[in-house]
Amino acid sequence: MSSTPIQLSRCGKTFADGTRALAPLDLEIAAGETVVLLGPSGCGKTTLLRLIAGLESPDPGGTVRFDGEDVTALPIERRAVGMVFQSYALFPNMSVRDNVAYGLKVRRLPKGEIAARTEEMLEMMAIAPLAGRRVHQLSGGQRQRVALARAIAVRPRVLLLDEPLAALDAVLRDRLRVEIDALLRRLAITAVYVTHDQAEAMMLGDRIVVMSGGRIEQAGTAREIYRAPATPFVAGFVGTVSRVADLAGGEALLRPEDIEICAVAEGRIAATVETAHFLGGRCQVTLSGPDGGRLIAEAPPDAAPPVGARVGLRWRDAAVIRIPLMEAAQ
Amino acid sequence: MSNRDLPRLVLLAVPAGAFALAFFLVPLARLAAAAAGGPKGLAAYASVVTEPRHFESMMATLALAVGVTAATLVLATVAGLFLSRHAFPGRGALVAVLTLPLAFPGVVVGFLVIMLGGRQGVIGGLTEALGAGRLVFAYSLAGLFVGYLYFSIPRVILTVMASAEKLDPALEEAARSLGASRARVLKDVVLPGLAPGLTAAGAICFATAMGAFGTAFALAANIEVLPMTIYTEFTLNANIAAAGALSLVLGAVTWAALYAARSLAGPPVAAAA
């Protein structure tokens, strides 16, 4: 499968009722790259995906390019994209096999080729034994596999996934996430994946685009976004942060794993333990700091301090996340 | 259900059972007996085939009902889909006006058809003014067709709108993402999604057109649909046996159509109907 880079330029979206879903933004997605659009509901991530898909058109002035070709005016049916929906959107009046074959039939490929490619997809997604079943006879995980098979059977230029795992339970979600990751690497297809789940984003994305209020807050690798968040929003949305006083001005933030609980005398600041939750491999401890602010730290699973205890907190200077004042003011 | 519950359940079924017996089964049995008790005996039931006048009436009624159902489904599907897909000022008022025919009895619908296509009708005046002679269609099957269409369309539009709103919009988007044109999406996704609702609505439409009397009575003149034939046999000819036999045949045909629609579309129809 050849890979297609995507270039979005000045893409904004204002709906007919005047709601501005997206502020004009630029985004380049490299060929074969998996980009995850991450953000809370209403942040514009789905609208951005639909602009790329051709289900929405950008406000005048915005352009969408696939491999340099301007596709802004093309509707979705002529963009050669594969799309996977949260609701699966499988055709209930067709069997699993007919669902997977649908795009190939629409393209009027020779019968033999349709059959061969459909079987290949069924095998690849491990749903061959279900080929004759109706959609309503499948479990949620099986449905999502069929939806993926149907989307990639047509060998799309880009694969677009709109919260594909949101409707599944936690165990199944973890398993399918691993499968989707392996699939995307294997196909080396350009993929855009929308989610509000940061764990999903960090695992799947070559790059994560964090969005809020219709704009891009930060785009970068999982490590960059976690270690060097550009805005307080990103710091708070991806992982947990605690705010500590910073003499240099601006925000000084700490990840829970970087805050060490120690004796009051050894700590940089003193705090009172409010709650301690055993989470298996570690304990999450909530504390109230000197100025009354809430701090979240981690403790070894069997060594959490008792609730109400006065403890000291210390951290390495290198662990402090500093967000420049100008960015923080936004 | 355990055996202990049985007496209680029987008791609960008594009121409905008594009603069905007194007002449905007993008169029906009397009707069946009366139909078979005429001079021709059981052969009265065959009159719909053997008697040319009855046969023609049956065929005309069937043709009318099928035609009205087909035309209604096409027109109402287009209108219903449009109304459910587009928001525009006055949409609510338009839907309310479209359902207005449901408020009129068949006789009034007959009057309306006469106003439109009768001897003094609007259309006749129009065609005369255009020099094409007076077009009068109210007193024929065409008039009945227009009248039935008028009161069938609202029911089906409401069904289509309800079904269309239940369709997952992602289904259409998925089909389009796979390259399907608008026409293809309609054929592969929208119509199959509407099918259970359309089958149910179509069956009701057919049954109504088979048995409607008021409109036919108001238009009278040259129309011999089965309910009119039954009325004529019963009141004018005092041929109770023929009237009874035709009534039962009409009921059987209509019931068979409803039953077929229900089994064709499977369980969802029963729920939707």
PDB file of all heavy atoms in Angstrom, chain B residues 164-200:
ATOM      1  N   ALA B 164     -36.647   6.985   9.384  1.00  0.00           N
ATOM      2  CA  ALA B 164     -35.443   7.666   8.905  1.00  0.00           C
ATOM      3  C   ALA B 164     -34.666   8.275  10.061  1.00  0.00           C
ATOM      4  O   ALA B 164     -33.434   8.292  10.056  1.00  0.00           O
ATOM      5  CB  ALA B 164     -35.811   8.748   7.894  1.00  0.00           C
ATOM      6  N   GLU B 165     -35.408   8.774  11.059  1.00  0.00           N
ATOM      7  CA  GLU B 165     -34.706   9.380  12.188  1.00  0.00           C
ATOM      8  C   GLU B 165     -33.991   8.336  13.038  1.00  0.00           C
ATOM      9  O   GLU B 165     -33.051   8.650  13.758  1.00  0.00           O
ATOM     10  CB  GLU B 165     -35.680  10.205  13.034  1.00  0.00           C
ATOM     11  CG  GLU B 165     -35.690  11.662  12.584  1.00  0.00           C
ATOM     12  CD  GLU B 165     -37.044  12.330  12.712  1.00  0.00           C
ATOM     13  OE1 GLU B 165     -37.746  12.060  13.686  1.00  0.00           O
ATOM     14  OE2 GLU B 165     -37.394  13.112  11.801  1.00  0.00           O
ATOM     15  N   LYS B 166     -34.434   7.077  12.925  1.00  0.00           N
ATOM     16  CA  LYS B 166     -33.793   6.026  13.706  1.00  0.00           C
ATOM     17  C   LYS B 166     -32.551   5.464  13.013  1.00  0.00           C
ATOM     18  O   LYS B 166     -31.764   4.763  13.624  1.00  0.00           O
ATOM     19  CB  LYS B 166     -34.792   4.895  13.980  1.00  0.00           C
ATOM     20  CG  LYS B 166     -35.556   5.118  15.289  1.00  0.00           C
ATOM     21  CD  LYS B 166     -36.425   3.931  15.617  1.00  0.00           C
ATOM     22  CE  LYS B 166     -37.804   4.095  15.022  1.00  0.00           C
ATOM     23  NZ  LYS B 166     -38.630   2.908  15.048  1.00  0.00           N
ATOM     24  N   LEU B 167     -32.372   5.757  11.712  1.00  0.00           N
ATOM     25  CA  LEU B 167     -31.203   5.242  10.985  1.00  0.00           C
ATOM     26  C   LEU B 167     -29.933   5.939  11.494  1.00  0.00           C
ATOM     27  O   LEU B 167     -29.905   7.153  11.636  1.00  0.00           O
ATOM     28  CB  LEU B 167     -31.338   5.527   9.490  1.00  0.00           C
ATOM     29  CG  LEU B 167     -32.251   4.622   8.667  1.00  0.00           C
ATOM     30  CD1 LEU B 167     -32.179   5.043   7.206  1.00  0.00           C
ATOM     31  CD2 LEU B 167     -31.859   3.168   8.811  1.00  0.00           C
ATOM     32  N   ASP B 168     -28.889   5.162  11.740  1.00  0.00           N
ATOM     33  CA  ASP B 168     -27.606   5.725  12.174  1.00  0.00           C
ATOM     34  C   ASP B 168     -26.975   6.475  10.994  1.00  0.00           C
ATOM     35  O   ASP B 168     -26.697   5.878   9.961  1.00  0.00           O
ATOM     36  CB  ASP B 168     -26.704   4.557  12.618  1.00  0.00           C
ATOM     37  CG  ASP B 168     -25.340   5.032  13.092  1.00  0.00           C
ATOM     38  OD1 ASP B 168     -25.102   6.257  13.118  1.00  0.00           O
ATOM     39  OD2 ASP B 168     -24.523   4.165  13.427  1.00  0.00           O
ATOM     40  N   PRO B 169     -26.768   7.804  11.135  1.00  0.00           N
ATOM     41  CA  PRO B 169     -26.182   8.555  10.008  1.00  0.00           C
ATOM     42  C   PRO B 169     -24.811   8.014   9.612  1.00  0.00           C
ATOM     43  O   PRO B 169     -24.386   8.161   8.463  1.00  0.00           O
ATOM     44  CB  PRO B 169     -26.068   9.989  10.525  1.00  0.00           C
ATOM     45  CG  PRO B 169     -26.534   9.993  11.921  1.00  0.00           C
ATOM     46  CD  PRO B 169     -27.036   8.643  12.298  1.00  0.00           C
ATOM     47  N   ALA B 170     -24.117   7.375  10.553  1.00  0.00           N
ATOM     48  CA  ALA B 170     -22.795   6.818  10.244  1.00  0.00           C
ATOM     49  C   ALA B 170     -22.885   5.717   9.183  1.00  0.00           C
ATOM     50  O   ALA B 170     -21.929   5.484   8.445  1.00  0.00           O
ATOM     51  CB  ALA B 170     -22.130   6.277  11.511  1.00  0.00           C
ATOM     52  N   LEU B 171     -24.053   5.047   9.082  1.00  0.00           N
ATOM     53  CA  LEU B 171     -24.206   4.001   8.061  1.00  0.00           C
ATOM     54  C   LEU B 171     -24.034   4.586   6.664  1.00  0.00           C
ATOM     55  O   LEU B 171     -23.349   4.027   5.816  1.00  0.00           O
ATOM     56  CB  LEU B 171     -25.592   3.363   8.165  1.00  0.00           C
ATOM     57  CG  LEU B 171     -25.788   2.277   9.205  1.00  0.00           C
ATOM     58  CD1 LEU B 171     -27.235   1.819   9.199  1.00  0.00           C
ATOM     59  CD2 LEU B 171     -24.871   1.105   8.913  1.00  0.00           C
ATOM     60  N   GLU B 172     -24.677   5.736   6.434  1.00  0.00           N
ATOM     61  CA  GLU B 172     -24.572   6.366   5.123  1.00  0.00           C
ATOM     62  C   GLU B 172     -23.163   6.884   4.886  1.00  0.00           C
ATOM     63  O   GLU B 172     -22.617   6.773   3.791  1.00  0.00           O
ATOM     64  CB  GLU B 172     -25.567   7.521   5.012  1.00  0.00           C
ATOM     65  CG  GLU B 172     -26.990   7.035   4.929  1.00  0.00           C
ATOM     66  CD  GLU B 172     -27.978   8.179   4.993  1.00  0.00           C
ATOM     67  OE1 GLU B 172     -27.824   9.124   4.225  1.00  0.00           O
ATOM     68  OE2 GLU B 172     -28.889   8.114   5.833  1.00  0.00           O
ATOM     69  N   GLU B 173     -22.583   7.441   5.948  1.00  0.00           N
ATOM     70  CA  GLU B 173     -21.215   7.958   5.803  1.00  0.00           C
ATOM     71  C   GLU B 173     -20.241   6.823   5.509  1.00  0.00           C
ATOM     72  O   GLU B 173     -19.318   6.978   4.706  1.00  0.00           O
ATOM     73  CB  GLU B 173     -20.819   8.706   7.079  1.00  0.00           C
ATOM     74  CG  GLU B 173     -21.640   9.965   7.270  1.00  0.00           C
ATOM     75  CD  GLU B 173     -21.386  10.678   8.591  1.00  0.00           C
ATOM     76  OE1 GLU B 173     -20.622  10.147   9.428  1.00  0.00           O
ATOM     77  OE2 GLU B 173     -21.935  11.761   8.784  1.00  0.00           O
ATOM     78  N   ALA B 174     -20.469   5.667   6.158  1.00  0.00           N
ATOM     79  CA  ALA B 174     -19.598   4.519   5.913  1.00  0.00           C
ATOM     80  C   ALA B 174     -19.710   4.084   4.450  1.00  0.00           C
ATOM     81  O   ALA B 174     -18.697   3.851   3.790  1.00  0.00           O
ATOM     82  CB  ALA B 174     -19.966   3.376   6.845  1.00  0.00           C
ATOM     83  N   ALA B 175     -20.929   4.009   3.943  1.00  0.00           N
ATOM     84  CA  ALA B 175     -21.122   3.596   2.551  1.00  0.00           C
ATOM     85  C   ALA B 175     -20.449   4.585   1.607  1.00  0.00           C
ATOM     86  O   ALA B 175     -19.783   4.192   0.639  1.00  0.00           O
ATOM     87  CB  ALA B 175     -22.608   3.481   2.241  1.00  0.00           C
ATOM     88  N   ARG B 176     -20.591   5.869   1.906  1.00  0.00           N
ATOM     89  CA  ARG B 176     -19.963   6.883   1.041  1.00  0.00           C
ATOM     90  C   ARG B 176     -18.447   6.774   1.112  1.00  0.00           C
ATOM     91  O   ARG B 176     -17.756   6.897   0.103  1.00  0.00           O
ATOM     92  CB  ARG B 176     -20.423   8.283   1.457  1.00  0.00           C
ATOM     93  CG  ARG B 176     -21.876   8.547   1.118  1.00  0.00           C
ATOM     94  CD  ARG B 176     -22.299   9.924   1.564  1.00  0.00           C
ATOM     95  NE  ARG B 176     -21.505  10.958   0.933  1.00  0.00           N
ATOM     96  CZ  ARG B 176     -21.343  12.186   1.418  1.00  0.00           C
ATOM     97  NH1 ARG B 176     -21.919  12.512   2.557  1.00  0.00           N
ATOM     98  NH2 ARG B 176     -20.608  13.055   0.783  1.00  0.00           N
ATOM     99  N   SER B 177     -17.908   6.526   2.329  1.00  0.00           N
ATOM    100  CA  SER B 177     -16.453   6.421   2.455  1.00  0.00           C
ATOM    101  C   SER B 177     -15.923   5.262   1.613  1.00  0.00           C
ATOM    102  O   SER B 177     -14.776   5.265   1.178  1.00  0.00           O
ATOM    103  CB  SER B 177     -16.042   6.252   3.921  1.00  0.00           C
ATOM    104  OG  SER B 177     -16.293   4.930   4.360  1.00  0.00           O
ATOM    105  N   LEU B 178     -16.782   4.261   1.373  1.00  0.00           N
ATOM    106  CA  LEU B 178     -16.365   3.116   0.565  1.00  0.00           C
ATOM    107  C   LEU B 178     -16.583   3.379  -0.922  1.00  0.00           C
ATOM    108  O   LEU B 178     -16.385   2.494  -1.746  1.00  0.00           O
ATOM    109  CB  LEU B 178     -17.124   1.871   1.016  1.00  0.00           C
ATOM    110  CG  LEU B 178     -16.751   1.413   2.435  1.00  0.00           C
ATOM    111  CD1 LEU B 178     -17.780   0.459   2.996  1.00  0.00           C
ATOM    112  CD2 LEU B 178     -15.366   0.788   2.442  1.00  0.00           C
ATOM    113  N   GLY B 179     -17.006   4.594  -1.258  1.00  0.00           N
ATOM    114  CA  GLY B 179     -17.098   4.979  -2.663  1.00  0.00           C
ATOM    115  C   GLY B 179     -18.503   4.984  -3.240  1.00  0.00           C
ATOM    116  O   GLY B 179     -18.681   5.207  -4.431  1.00  0.00           O
ATOM    117  N   ALA B 180     -19.510   4.707  -2.405  1.00  0.00           N
ATOM    118  CA  ALA B 180     -20.869   4.617  -2.931  1.00  0.00           C
ATOM    119  C   ALA B 180     -21.430   5.994  -3.272  1.00  0.00           C
ATOM    120  O   ALA B 180     -21.290   6.929  -2.497  1.00  0.00           O
ATOM    121  CB  ALA B 180     -21.775   3.929  -1.911  1.00  0.00           C
ATOM    122  N   SER B 181     -22.075   6.081  -4.445  1.00  0.00           N
ATOM    123  CA  SER B 181     -22.724   7.325  -4.850  1.00  0.00           C
ATOM    124  C   SER B 181     -23.998   7.504  -4.028  1.00  0.00           C
ATOM    125  O   SER B 181     -24.435   6.578  -3.351  1.00  0.00           O
ATOM    126  CB  SER B 181     -23.086   7.249  -6.327  1.00  0.00           C
ATOM    127  OG  SER B 181     -24.027   6.206  -6.516  1.00  0.00           O
ATOM    128  N   ARG B 182     -24.612   8.700  -4.141  1.00  0.00           N
ATOM    129  CA  ARG B 182     -25.838   8.959  -3.381  1.00  0.00           C
ATOM    130  C   ARG B 182     -26.917   7.933  -3.718  1.00  0.00           C
ATOM    131  O   ARG B 182     -27.624   7.451  -2.836  1.00  0.00           O
ATOM    132  CB  ARG B 182     -26.372  10.363  -3.700  1.00  0.00           C
ATOM    133  CG  ARG B 182     -25.399  11.467  -3.413  1.00  0.00           C
ATOM    134  CD  ARG B 182     -25.427  11.835  -1.948  1.00  0.00           C
ATOM    135  NE  ARG B 182     -24.406  12.819  -1.641  1.00  0.00           N
ATOM    136  CZ  ARG B 182     -24.451  13.619  -0.584  1.00  0.00           C
ATOM    137  NH1 ARG B 182     -25.448  13.519   0.258  1.00  0.00           N
ATOM    138  NH2 ARG B 182     -23.478  14.483  -0.361  1.00  0.00           N
ATOM    139  N   ALA B 183     -27.069   7.622  -5.018  1.00  0.00           N
ATOM    140  CA  ALA B 183     -28.101   6.672  -5.434  1.00  0.00           C
ATOM    141  C   ALA B 183     -27.816   5.296  -4.837  1.00  0.00           C
ATOM    142  O   ALA B 183     -28.717   4.588  -4.387  1.00  0.00           O
ATOM    143  CB  ALA B 183     -28.150   6.596  -6.952  1.00  0.00           C
ATOM    144  N   ARG B 184     -26.546   4.938  -4.842  1.00  0.00           N
ATOM    145  CA  ARG B 184     -26.141   3.634  -4.307  1.00  0.00           C
ATOM    146  C   ARG B 184     -26.394   3.558  -2.792  1.00  0.00           C
ATOM    147  O   ARG B 184     -26.827   2.529  -2.281  1.00  0.00           O
ATOM    148  CB  ARG B 184     -24.645   3.463  -4.613  1.00  0.00           C
ATOM    149  CG  ARG B 184     -24.087   2.089  -4.371  1.00  0.00           C
ATOM    150  CD  ARG B 184     -24.316   1.180  -5.549  1.00  0.00           C
ATOM    151  NE  ARG B 184     -24.279  -0.199  -5.097  1.00  0.00           N
ATOM    152  CZ  ARG B 184     -23.444  -1.107  -5.580  1.00  0.00           C
ATOM    153  NH1 ARG B 184     -22.627  -0.818  -6.546  1.00  0.00           N
ATOM    154  NH2 ARG B 184     -23.466  -2.334  -5.100  1.00  0.00           N
ATOM    155  N   VAL B 185     -26.131   4.663  -2.103  1.00  0.00           N
ATOM    156  CA  VAL B 185     -26.377   4.714  -0.654  1.00  0.00           C
ATOM    157  C   VAL B 185     -27.871   4.532  -0.381  1.00  0.00           C
ATOM    158  O   VAL B 185     -28.274   3.793   0.511  1.00  0.00           O
ATOM    159  CB  VAL B 185     -25.882   6.050  -0.057  1.00  0.00           C
ATOM    160  CG1 VAL B 185     -26.324   6.186   1.389  1.00  0.00           C
ATOM    161  CG2 VAL B 185     -24.374   6.154  -0.162  1.00  0.00           C
ATOM    162  N   LEU B 186     -28.703   5.193  -1.217  1.00  0.00           N
ATOM    163  CA  LEU B 186     -30.144   5.075  -1.064  1.00  0.00           C
ATOM    164  C   LEU B 186     -30.574   3.621  -1.212  1.00  0.00           C
ATOM    165  O   LEU B 186     -31.324   3.085  -0.406  1.00  0.00           O
ATOM    166  CB  LEU B 186     -30.842   5.955  -2.107  1.00  0.00           C
ATOM    167  CG  LEU B 186     -32.365   6.050  -1.991  1.00  0.00           C
ATOM    168  CD1 LEU B 186     -32.751   6.857  -0.772  1.00  0.00           C
ATOM    169  CD2 LEU B 186     -32.967   6.654  -3.240  1.00  0.00           C
ATOM    170  N   LYS B 187     -30.039   2.968  -2.255  1.00  0.00           N
ATOM    171  CA  LYS B 187     -30.443   1.593  -2.566  1.00  0.00           C
ATOM    172  C   LYS B 187     -29.907   0.596  -1.530  1.00  0.00           C
ATOM    173  O   LYS B 187     -30.618  -0.315  -1.127  1.00  0.00           O
ATOM    174  CB  LYS B 187     -29.911   1.252  -3.964  1.00  0.00           C
ATOM    175  CG  LYS B 187     -30.042  -0.202  -4.359  1.00  0.00           C
ATOM    176  CD  LYS B 187     -29.524  -0.406  -5.774  1.00  0.00           C
ATOM    177  CE  LYS B 187     -29.004  -1.798  -6.017  1.00  0.00           C
ATOM    178  NZ  LYS B 187     -27.683  -2.120  -5.536  1.00  0.00           N
ATOM    179  N   ASP B 188     -28.647   0.791  -1.109  1.00  0.00           N
ATOM    180  CA  ASP B 188     -28.012  -0.230  -0.259  1.00  0.00           C
ATOM    181  C   ASP B 188     -28.192   0.005   1.229  1.00  0.00           C
ATOM    182  O   ASP B 188     -28.093  -0.934   2.015  1.00  0.00           O
ATOM    183  CB  ASP B 188     -26.502  -0.296  -0.560  1.00  0.00           C
ATOM    184  CG  ASP B 188     -26.213  -0.817  -1.944  1.00  0.00           C
ATOM    185  OD1 ASP B 188     -27.074  -1.538  -2.470  1.00  0.00           O
ATOM    186  OD2 ASP B 188     -25.143  -0.513  -2.489  1.00  0.00           O
ATOM    187  N   VAL B 189     -28.405   1.251   1.606  1.00  0.00           N
ATOM    188  CA  VAL B 189     -28.431   1.551   3.044  1.00  0.00           C
ATOM    189  C   VAL B 189     -29.782   2.117   3.484  1.00  0.00           C
ATOM    190  O   VAL B 189     -30.406   1.589   4.405  1.00  0.00           O
ATOM    191  CB  VAL B 189     -27.307   2.559   3.409  1.00  0.00           C
ATOM    192  CG1 VAL B 189     -27.405   2.921   4.883  1.00  0.00           C
ATOM    193  CG2 VAL B 189     -25.952   1.967   3.089  1.00  0.00           C
ATOM    194  N   VAL B 190     -30.234   3.175   2.818  1.00  0.00           N
ATOM    195  CA  VAL B 190     -31.424   3.880   3.313  1.00  0.00           C
ATOM    196  C   VAL B 190     -32.694   3.035   3.130  1.00  0.00           C
ATOM    197  O   VAL B 190     -33.424   2.791   4.092  1.00  0.00           O
ATOM    198  CB  VAL B 190     -31.580   5.248   2.613  1.00  0.00           C
ATOM    199  CG1 VAL B 190     -32.823   5.954   3.123  1.00  0.00           C
ATOM    200  CG2 VAL B 190     -30.347   6.103   2.874  1.00  0.00           C
ATOM    201  N   LEU B 191     -32.916   2.560   1.896  1.00  0.00           N
ATOM    202  CA  LEU B 191     -34.152   1.801   1.666  1.00  0.00           C
ATOM    203  C   LEU B 191     -34.208   0.509   2.484  1.00  0.00           C
ATOM    204  O   LEU B 191     -35.240   0.220   3.094  1.00  0.00           O
ATOM    205  CB  LEU B 191     -34.361   1.543   0.169  1.00  0.00           C
ATOM    206  CG  LEU B 191     -34.726   2.802  -0.632  1.00  0.00           C
ATOM    207  CD1 LEU B 191     -34.939   2.472  -2.105  1.00  0.00           C
ATOM    208  CD2 LEU B 191     -35.970   3.478  -0.060  1.00  0.00           C
ATOM    209  N   PRO B 192     -33.097  -0.272   2.550  1.00  0.00           N
ATOM    210  CA  PRO B 192     -33.167  -1.447   3.438  1.00  0.00           C
ATOM    211  C   PRO B 192     -33.455  -1.058   4.886  1.00  0.00           C
ATOM    212  O   PRO B 192     -34.160  -1.774   5.590  1.00  0.00           O
ATOM    213  CB  PRO B 192     -31.780  -2.080   3.309  1.00  0.00           C
ATOM    214  CG  PRO B 192     -31.263  -1.621   1.996  1.00  0.00           C
ATOM    215  CD  PRO B 192     -31.836  -0.241   1.791  1.00  0.00           C
ATOM    216  N   GLY B 193     -32.950   0.087   5.308  1.00  0.00           N
ATOM    217  CA  GLY B 193     -33.200   0.537   6.677  1.00  0.00           C
ATOM    218  C   GLY B 193     -34.656   0.935   6.887  1.00  0.00           C
ATOM    219  O   GLY B 193     -35.209   0.759   7.961  1.00  0.00           O
ATOM    220  N   LEU B 194     -35.271   1.463   5.819  1.00  0.00           N
ATOM    221  CA  LEU B 194     -36.668   1.880   5.926  1.00  0.00           C
ATOM    222  C   LEU B 194     -37.624   0.724   5.666  1.00  0.00           C
ATOM    223  O   LEU B 194     -38.819   0.816   5.969  1.00  0.00           O
ATOM    224  CB  LEU B 194     -36.967   2.998   4.913  1.00  0.00           C
ATOM    225  CG  LEU B 194     -36.227   4.320   5.065  1.00  0.00           C
ATOM    226  CD1 LEU B 194     -36.686   5.293   3.977  1.00  0.00           C
ATOM    227  CD2 LEU B 194     -36.482   4.935   6.430  1.00  0.00           C
ATOM    228  N   ALA B 195     -37.103  -0.376   5.085  1.00  0.00           N
ATOM    229  CA  ALA B 195     -37.968  -1.456   4.590  1.00  0.00           C
ATOM    230  C   ALA B 195     -38.991  -1.961   5.609  1.00  0.00           C
ATOM    231  O   ALA B 195     -40.174  -2.078   5.264  1.00  0.00           O
ATOM    232  CB  ALA B 195     -37.118  -2.603   4.047  1.00  0.00           C
ATOM    233  N   PRO B 196     -38.580  -2.254   6.846  1.00  0.00           N
ATOM    234  CA  PRO B 196     -39.597  -2.770   7.780  1.00  0.00           C
ATOM    235  C   PRO B 196     -40.741  -1.782   7.977  1.00  0.00           C
ATOM    236  O   PRO B 196     -41.914  -2.169   7.930  1.00  0.00           O
ATOM    237  CB  PRO B 196     -38.812  -2.964   9.085  1.00  0.00           C
ATOM    238  CG  PRO B 196     -37.389  -3.077   8.676  1.00  0.00           C
ATOM    239  CD  PRO B 196     -37.249  -2.207   7.456  1.00  0.00           C
ATOM    240  N   GLY B 197     -40.405  -0.513   8.140  1.00  0.00           N
ATOM    241  CA  GLY B 197     -41.430   0.511   8.325  1.00  0.00           C
ATOM    242  C   GLY B 197     -42.295   0.660   7.088  1.00  0.00           C
ATOM    243  O   GLY B 197     -43.526   0.780   7.169  1.00  0.00           O
ATOM    244  N   LEU B 198     -41.656   0.621   5.898  1.00  0.00           N
ATOM    245  CA  LEU B 198     -42.403   0.764   4.649  1.00  0.00           C
ATOM    246  C   LEU B 198     -43.339  -0.417   4.427  1.00  0.00           C
ATOM    247  O   LEU B 198     -44.463  -0.244   3.949  1.00  0.00           O
ATOM    248  CB  LEU B 198     -41.433   0.883   3.463  1.00  0.00           C
ATOM    249  CG  LEU B 198     -40.690   2.214   3.332  1.00  0.00           C
ATOM    250  CD1 LEU B 198     -39.755   2.190   2.129  1.00  0.00           C
ATOM    251  CD2 LEU B 198     -41.673   3.371   3.193  1.00  0.00           C
ATOM    252  N   THR B 199     -42.877  -1.617   4.776  1.00  0.00           N
ATOM    253  CA  THR B 199     -43.729  -2.801   4.603  1.00  0.00           C
ATOM    254  C   THR B 199     -44.965  -2.687   5.484  1.00  0.00           C
ATOM    255  O   THR B 199     -46.091  -2.930   5.024  1.00  0.00           O
ATOM    256  CB  THR B 199     -42.952  -4.078   4.978  1.00  0.00           C
ATOM    257  OG1 THR B 199     -41.669  -4.021   4.356  1.00  0.00           O
ATOM    258  CG2 THR B 199     -43.681  -5.320   4.510  1.00  0.00           C
ATOM    259  N   ALA B 200     -44.746  -2.312   6.728  1.00  0.00           N
ATOM    260  CA  ALA B 200     -45.867  -2.189   7.659  1.00  0.00           C
ATOM    261  C   ALA B 200     -46.834  -1.105   7.183  1.00  0.00           C
ATOM    262  O   ALA B 200     -48.054  -1.319   7.125  1.00  0.00           O
ATOM    263  CB  ALA B 200     -45.353  -1.870   9.058  1.00  0.00           C
TER     264      ALA B 200
END
